[in-house]
Amino acid sequence: GPPPPPPIPLTFIGVLSAPTQAGRIAIMSDGRGNTFQAREGDIIEGRYRLLRLGTDSVELAYLDGRGRQVIRLSGQ
């Protein structure tokens, strides 16, 4: 079969609880100095969708359906 998709190159660094906005926000980094904030269902970098935001991990999927990946909280 086809090779698996490459790993999603994002690091999950924290969760922001926004009392004035609905829901929690995941904070992620690409390791090149860029940070991203996303809620469940949001699209990140035009390539990934945040499927689930847990207390210690996020689940992301490629928009083209090639696969999913769980990224654990790194705290970095």
Side-chain angles (χ1 to χ4, degrees):
I8 295 174
L10 296 175
T11 303
F12 177 38
I13 57 176
V15 177
L16 177 65
S17 295
T20 60
Q21 300 176 10
R24 298 178 309 146
I25 300 169
I27 311 297
M28 291 167 276
S29 171
D30 65 2
R32 297 175 298 191
N34 299 311
T35 58
F36 305 95
Q37 299 178 8
R39 291 185 179 87
E40 288 183 353
D42 285 354
I43 296 172
I44 303 161
E45 284 196 309
R47 297 184 283 180
Y48 317 111
R49 181 179 309 276
L50 177 58
L51 299 175
R52 186 183 62 79
L53 170 56
T55 56
D56 63 351
S57 65
V58 292
E59 183 177 4
L60 300 171
Y62 282 92
L63 285 181
D64 63 6
R66 292 185 294 159
R68 297 176 173 204
Q69 181 178 338
V70 173
I71 301 174
R72 299 265 175 225
L73 180 65
S74 71
Q76 298 179 9

